[in-house]
mmCIF file of all heavy atoms in Angstrom:
data_model
loop_
_atom_site.group_PDB
_atom_site.id
_atom_site.type_symbol
_atom_site.label_atom_id
_atom_site.label_comp_id
_atom_site.label_asym_id
_atom_site.label_seq_id
_atom_site.Cartn_x
_atom_site.Cartn_y
_atom_site.Cartn_z
ATOM 1 N N VAL A 142 -24.112 120.468 278.995
ATOM 2 C CA VAL A 142 -25.003 119.376 279.385
ATOM 3 C C VAL A 142 -25.336 119.471 280.874
ATOM 4 O O VAL A 142 -26.498 119.293 281.276
ATOM 5 C CB VAL A 142 -24.374 118.015 279.035
ATOM 6 C CG1 VAL A 142 -25.186 116.866 279.627
ATOM 7 C CG2 VAL A 142 -24.287 117.847 277.521
ATOM 8 N N ALA A 143 -24.338 119.751 281.706
ATOM 9 C CA ALA A 143 -24.595 119.898 283.144
ATOM 10 C C ALA A 143 -25.571 121.042 283.408
ATOM 11 O O ALA A 143 -26.474 120.928 284.246
ATOM 12 C CB ALA A 143 -23.288 120.133 283.889
ATOM 13 N N SER A 144 -25.417 122.153 282.696
ATOM 14 C CA SER A 144 -26.297 123.308 282.880
ATOM 15 C C SER A 144 -27.711 123.008 282.406
ATOM 16 O O SER A 144 -28.691 123.403 283.046
ATOM 17 C CB SER A 144 -25.729 124.515 282.125
ATOM 18 O OG SER A 144 -24.445 124.853 282.607
ATOM 19 N N LEU A 145 -27.851 122.301 281.274
ATOM 20 C CA LEU A 145 -29.173 121.950 280.759
ATOM 21 C C LEU A 145 -29.904 121.004 281.710
ATOM 22 O O LEU A 145 -31.112 121.140 281.931
ATOM 23 C CB LEU A 145 -29.046 121.319 279.377
ATOM 24 C CG LEU A 145 -28.677 122.267 278.231
ATOM 25 C CD1 LEU A 145 -28.440 121.483 276.937
ATOM 26 C CD2 LEU A 145 -29.772 123.312 278.020
ATOM 27 N N ILE A 146 -29.167 120.053 282.261
ATOM 28 C CA ILE A 146 -29.795 119.145 283.225
ATOM 29 C C ILE A 146 -30.212 119.906 284.475
ATOM 30 O O ILE A 146 -31.307 119.680 285.027
ATOM 31 C CB ILE A 146 -28.836 117.988 283.576
ATOM 32 C CG1 ILE A 146 -28.637 117.075 282.359
ATOM 33 C CG2 ILE A 146 -29.379 117.181 284.750
ATOM 34 C CD1 ILE A 146 -27.643 115.961 282.582
ATOM 35 N N ALA A 147 -29.351 120.834 284.948
ATOM 36 C CA ALA A 147 -29.696 121.626 286.132
ATOM 37 C C ALA A 147 -30.933 122.481 285.877
ATOM 38 O O ALA A 147 -31.764 122.679 286.769
ATOM 39 C CB ALA A 147 -28.516 122.506 286.525
ATOM 40 N N ALA A 148 -31.096 122.987 284.645
ATOM 41 C CA ALA A 148 -32.219 123.867 284.322
ATOM 42 C C ALA A 148 -33.509 123.093 284.080
ATOM 43 O O ALA A 148 -34.596 123.579 284.416
ATOM 44 C CB ALA A 148 -31.879 124.703 283.088
ATOM 45 N N THR A 149 -33.397 121.895 283.487
ATOM 46 C CA THR A 149 -34.601 121.155 283.082
ATOM 47 C C THR A 149 -34.905 119.950 283.950
ATOM 48 O O THR A 149 -36.040 119.476 283.988
ATOM 49 C CB THR A 149 -34.453 120.661 281.630
ATOM 50 O OG1 THR A 149 -33.387 119.695 281.558
ATOM 51 C CG2 THR A 149 -34.147 121.825 280.694
ATOM 52 N N GLY A 150 -33.893 119.412 284.619
ATOM 53 C CA GLY A 150 -34.075 118.182 285.386
ATOM 54 C C GLY A 150 -34.171 116.940 284.519
ATOM 55 O O GLY A 150 -34.430 115.848 285.036
ATOM 56 N N ASN A 151 -33.940 117.081 283.217
ATOM 57 C CA ASN A 151 -34.052 115.962 282.266
ATOM 58 C C ASN A 151 -32.716 115.235 282.169
ATOM 59 O O ASN A 151 -31.743 115.778 281.638
ATOM 60 C CB ASN A 151 -34.481 116.483 280.899
ATOM 61 C CG ASN A 151 -34.839 115.362 279.937
ATOM 62 O OD1 ASN A 151 -34.405 114.214 280.093
ATOM 63 N ND2 ASN A 151 -35.642 115.686 278.933
ATOM 64 N N LEU A 152 -32.660 114.012 282.646
ATOM 65 C CA LEU A 152 -31.410 113.248 282.655
ATOM 66 C C LEU A 152 -31.084 112.629 281.297
ATOM 67 O O LEU A 152 -30.018 112.028 281.138
ATOM 68 C CB LEU A 152 -31.489 112.147 283.712
ATOM 69 C CG LEU A 152 -31.562 112.624 285.163
ATOM 70 C CD1 LEU A 152 -31.785 111.449 286.096
ATOM 71 C CD2 LEU A 152 -30.298 113.383 285.545
ATOM 72 N N ASP A 153 -31.976 112.780 280.312
ATOM 73 C CA ASP A 153 -31.718 112.248 278.974
ATOM 74 C C ASP A 153 -31.023 113.271 278.065
ATOM 75 O O ASP A 153 -30.769 112.975 276.895
ATOM 76 C CB ASP A 153 -33.031 111.813 278.315
ATOM 77 C CG ASP A 153 -33.649 110.612 279.011
ATOM 78 O OD1 ASP A 153 -32.887 109.790 279.557
ATOM 79 O OD2 ASP A 153 -34.889 110.498 279.014
ATOM 80 N N ILE A 154 -30.724 114.442 278.582
ATOM 81 C CA ILE A 154 -30.057 115.480 277.787
ATOM 82 C C ILE A 154 -28.781 114.957 277.112
ATOM 83 O O ILE A 154 -28.546 115.246 275.931
ATOM 84 C CB ILE A 154 -29.733 116.714 278.666
ATOM 85 C CG1 ILE A 154 -31.030 117.432 279.068
ATOM 86 C CG2 ILE A 154 -28.798 117.669 277.940
ATOM 87 C CD1 ILE A 154 -31.766 118.103 277.944
ATOM 88 N N PRO A 155 -27.921 114.186 277.799
ATOM 89 C CA PRO A 155 -26.718 113.686 277.114
ATOM 90 C C PRO A 155 -27.045 112.888 275.857
ATOM 91 O O PRO A 155 -26.333 112.997 274.845
ATOM 92 C CB PRO A 155 -26.058 112.806 278.185
ATOM 93 C CG PRO A 155 -26.523 113.368 279.479
ATOM 94 C CD PRO A 155 -27.929 113.809 279.228
ATOM 95 N N ALA A 156 -28.107 112.086 275.889
ATOM 96 C CA ALA A 156 -28.482 111.294 274.710
ATOM 97 C C ALA A 156 -28.917 112.190 273.561
ATOM 98 O O ALA A 156 -28.509 111.984 272.403
ATOM 99 C CB ALA A 156 -29.599 110.314 275.076
ATOM 100 N N TYR A 157 -29.735 113.186 273.851
ATOM 101 C CA TYR A 157 -30.197 114.094 272.795
ATOM 102 C C TYR A 157 -29.024 114.852 272.176
ATOM 103 O O TYR A 157 -28.983 115.091 270.964
ATOM 104 C CB TYR A 157 -31.220 115.084 273.351
ATOM 105 C CG TYR A 157 -32.422 114.428 273.979
ATOM 106 C CD1 TYR A 157 -33.059 115.000 275.081
ATOM 107 C CD2 TYR A 157 -32.938 113.224 273.488
ATOM 108 C CE1 TYR A 157 -34.165 114.401 275.675
ATOM 109 C CE2 TYR A 157 -34.040 112.614 274.074
ATOM 110 C CZ TYR A 157 -34.637 113.198 275.160
ATOM 111 O OH TYR A 157 -35.733 112.598 275.748
ATOM 112 N N TYR A 158 -28.076 115.233 273.002
ATOM 113 C CA TYR A 158 -26.889 115.962 272.540
ATOM 114 C C TYR A 158 -26.066 115.079 271.590
ATOM 115 O O TYR A 158 -25.610 115.528 270.543
ATOM 116 C CB TYR A 158 -26.062 116.364 273.761
ATOM 117 C CG TYR A 158 -25.305 117.663 273.617
ATOM 118 C CD1 TYR A 158 -25.962 118.886 273.683
ATOM 119 C CD2 TYR A 158 -23.927 117.668 273.448
ATOM 120 C CE1 TYR A 158 -25.268 120.074 273.573
ATOM 121 C CE2 TYR A 158 -23.223 118.854 273.338
ATOM 122 C CZ TYR A 158 -23.896 120.059 273.398
ATOM 123 O OH TYR A 158 -23.211 121.237 273.286
ATOM 124 N N LEU A 159 -25.884 113.821 271.964
ATOM 125 C CA LEU A 159 -25.133 112.893 271.122
ATOM 126 C C LEU A 159 -25.860 112.625 269.805
ATOM 127 O O LEU A 159 -25.231 112.523 268.742
ATOM 128 C CB LEU A 159 -24.907 111.580 271.870
ATOM 129 C CG LEU A 159 -23.934 111.620 273.053
ATOM 130 C CD1 LEU A 159 -23.990 110.303 273.825
ATOM 131 C CD2 LEU A 159 -22.512 111.890 272.581
ATOM 132 N N MET A 160 -27.169 112.502 269.843
ATOM 133 C CA MET A 160 -27.937 112.255 268.628
ATOM 134 C C MET A 160 -27.815 113.419 267.643
ATOM 135 O O MET A 160 -27.642 113.212 266.430
ATOM 136 C CB MET A 160 -29.404 112.002 268.987
ATOM 137 C CG MET A 160 -29.626 110.700 269.755
ATOM 138 S SD MET A 160 -31.298 110.565 270.460
ATOM 139 C CE MET A 160 -32.247 110.360 268.962
ATOM 140 N N ALA A 161 -27.892 114.628 268.154
ATOM 141 C CA ALA A 161 -27.733 115.802 267.287
ATOM 142 C C ALA A 161 -26.346 115.822 266.652
ATOM 143 O O ALA A 161 -26.190 116.138 265.458
ATOM 144 C CB ALA A 161 -27.976 117.082 268.090
ATOM 145 N N ALA A 162 -25.329 115.476 267.439
ATOM 146 C CA ALA A 162 -23.963 115.414 266.901
ATOM 147 C C ALA A 162 -23.857 114.379 265.794
ATOM 148 O O ALA A 162 -23.168 114.588 264.784
ATOM 149 C CB ALA A 162 -22.977 115.096 268.026
ATOM 150 N N GLY A 163 -24.545 113.243 265.955
ATOM 151 C CA GLY A 163 -24.520 112.205 264.933
ATOM 152 C C GLY A 163 -25.121 112.671 263.619
ATOM 153 O O GLY A 163 -24.603 112.357 262.537
ATOM 154 N N VAL A 164 -26.207 113.419 263.677
ATOM 155 C CA VAL A 164 -26.838 113.935 262.451
ATOM 156 C C VAL A 164 -25.907 114.911 261.730
ATOM 157 O O VAL A 164 -25.718 114.832 260.509
ATOM 158 C CB VAL A 164 -28.183 114.618 262.794
ATOM 159 C CG1 VAL A 164 -28.753 115.333 261.563
ATOM 160 C CG2 VAL A 164 -29.180 113.595 263.320
ATOM 161 N N ILE A 165 -25.330 115.839 262.474
ATOM 162 C CA ILE A 165 -24.407 116.801 261.877
ATOM 163 C C ILE A 165 -23.190 116.089 261.289
ATOM 164 O O ILE A 165 -22.707 116.419 260.189
ATOM 165 C CB ILE A 165 -23.976 117.849 262.926
ATOM 166 C CG1 ILE A 165 -25.182 118.690 263.345
ATOM 167 C CG2 ILE A 165 -22.864 118.745 262.381
ATOM 168 C CD1 ILE A 165 -24.922 119.607 264.518
ATOM 169 N N GLY A 166 -22.680 115.091 262.003
ATOM 170 C CA GLY A 166 -21.542 114.331 261.508
ATOM 171 C C GLY A 166 -21.846 113.624 260.205
ATOM 172 O O GLY A 166 -21.030 113.621 259.272
ATOM 173 N N ALA A 167 -23.039 113.018 260.087
ATOM 174 C CA ALA A 167 -23.406 112.292 258.867
ATOM 175 C C ALA A 167 -23.492 113.228 257.668
ATOM 176 O O ALA A 167 -23.051 112.878 256.556
ATOM 177 C CB ALA A 167 -24.742 111.579 259.076
ATOM 178 N N ILE A 168 -24.037 114.425 257.864
ATOM 179 C CA ILE A 168 -24.106 115.409 256.778
ATOM 180 C C ILE A 168 -22.695 115.788 256.324
ATOM 181 O O ILE A 168 -22.414 115.898 255.120
ATOM 182 C CB ILE A 168 -24.882 116.658 257.235
ATOM 183 C CG1 ILE A 168 -26.341 116.293 257.517
ATOM 184 C CG2 ILE A 168 -24.795 117.765 256.198
ATOM 185 C CD1 ILE A 168 -27.136 117.401 258.185
ATOM 186 N N SER A 169 -21.790 115.961 257.267
ATOM 187 C CA SER A 169 -20.410 116.342 256.942
ATOM 188 C C SER A 169 -19.682 115.224 256.201
ATOM 189 O O SER A 169 -18.945 115.482 255.250
ATOM 190 C CB SER A 169 -19.655 116.707 258.222
ATOM 191 O OG SER A 169 -20.309 117.747 258.922
ATOM 192 N N VAL A 170 -19.890 113.987 256.636
ATOM 193 C CA VAL A 170 -19.242 112.857 255.962
ATOM 194 C C VAL A 170 -19.756 112.727 254.530
ATOM 195 O O VAL A 170 -18.994 112.424 253.611
ATOM 196 C CB VAL A 170 -19.496 111.552 256.749
ATOM 197 C CG1 VAL A 170 -18.957 110.342 255.980
ATOM 198 C CG2 VAL A 170 -18.837 111.625 258.125
ATOM 199 N N TYR A 171 -21.049 112.987 254.325
ATOM 200 C CA TYR A 171 -21.620 112.928 252.978
ATOM 201 C C TYR A 171 -20.931 113.926 252.045
ATOM 202 O O TYR A 171 -20.717 113.639 250.859
ATOM 203 C CB TYR A 171 -23.117 113.214 253.043
ATOM 204 C CG TYR A 171 -23.793 113.236 251.696
ATOM 205 C CD1 TYR A 171 -24.121 112.050 251.038
ATOM 206 C CD2 TYR A 171 -24.101 114.448 251.073
ATOM 207 C CE1 TYR A 171 -24.736 112.070 249.802
ATOM 208 C CE2 TYR A 171 -24.716 114.480 249.830
ATOM 209 C CZ TYR A 171 -25.025 113.286 249.197
ATOM 210 O OH TYR A 171 -25.629 113.302 247.965
ATOM 211 N N ALA A 172 -20.580 115.114 252.588
ATOM 212 C CA ALA A 172 -19.950 116.155 251.778
ATOM 213 C C ALA A 172 -18.460 115.929 251.570
ATOM 214 O O ALA A 172 -17.816 116.674 250.821
ATOM 215 C CB ALA A 172 -20.173 117.519 252.435
ATOM 216 N N MET A 173 -17.915 114.915 252.185
ATOM 217 C CA MET A 173 -16.475 114.664 252.156
ATOM 218 C C MET A 173 -16.129 113.651 251.073
ATOM 219 O O MET A 173 -16.907 112.753 250.784
ATOM 220 C CB MET A 173 -16.059 114.128 253.528
ATOM 221 C CG MET A 173 -14.602 113.896 253.748
ATOM 222 S SD MET A 173 -14.370 113.208 255.420
ATOM 223 C CE MET A 173 -14.948 111.533 255.177
ATOM 224 N N LYS A 174 -14.953 113.788 250.471
ATOM 225 C CA LYS A 174 -14.476 112.813 249.498
ATOM 226 C C LYS A 174 -13.702 111.709 250.200
ATOM 227 O O LYS A 174 -13.018 111.951 251.189
ATOM 228 C CB LYS A 174 -13.600 113.490 248.450
ATOM 229 C CG LYS A 174 -14.364 114.437 247.540
ATOM 230 C CD LYS A 174 -13.491 114.919 246.397
ATOM 231 C CE LYS A 174 -14.308 115.789 245.438
ATOM 232 N NZ LYS A 174 -13.511 116.219 244.267
ATOM 233 N N GLU A 175 -13.805 110.505 249.679
ATOM 234 C CA GLU A 175 -13.050 109.378 250.229
ATOM 235 C C GLU A 175 -11.556 109.598 250.007
ATOM 236 O O GLU A 175 -11.127 109.959 248.909
ATOM 237 C CB GLU A 175 -13.497 108.072 249.564
ATOM 238 C CG GLU A 175 -12.799 106.836 250.089
ATOM 239 C CD GLU A 175 -12.998 106.645 251.583
ATOM 240 O OE1 GLU A 175 -14.123 106.332 252.002
ATOM 241 O OE2 GLU A 175 -12.003 106.823 252.324
ATOM 242 N N SER A 176 -10.766 109.389 251.052
ATOM 243 C CA SER A 176 -9.327 109.643 250.956
ATOM 244 C C SER A 176 -8.475 108.407 251.165
ATOM 245 O O SER A 176 -7.255 108.466 251.034
ATOM 246 C CB SER A 176 -8.918 110.705 251.992
ATOM 247 O OG SER A 176 -9.209 110.263 253.310
#
């Protein structure tokens, strides 16, 4: 994230990174059985 901000100057990079993680997490939870 620090490198992406240094390269692009976009201070919203942390938000985009978290959003992508949320999408991947939701797909994984869908594939998981309730325990």
Side-chain angles (χ1 to χ4, degrees):
V142 171
S144 300
L145 288 174
I146 292 176
T149 65
N151 190 337
L152 294 174
D153 293 329
I154 291 292
Y157 302 146
Y158 212 75
L159 290 171
M160 293 169 70
V164 172
I165 294 171
I168 295 171
S169 303
V170 174
Y171 178 78
M173 184 182 74
K174 292 188 176 183
E175 181 59 70
S176 60

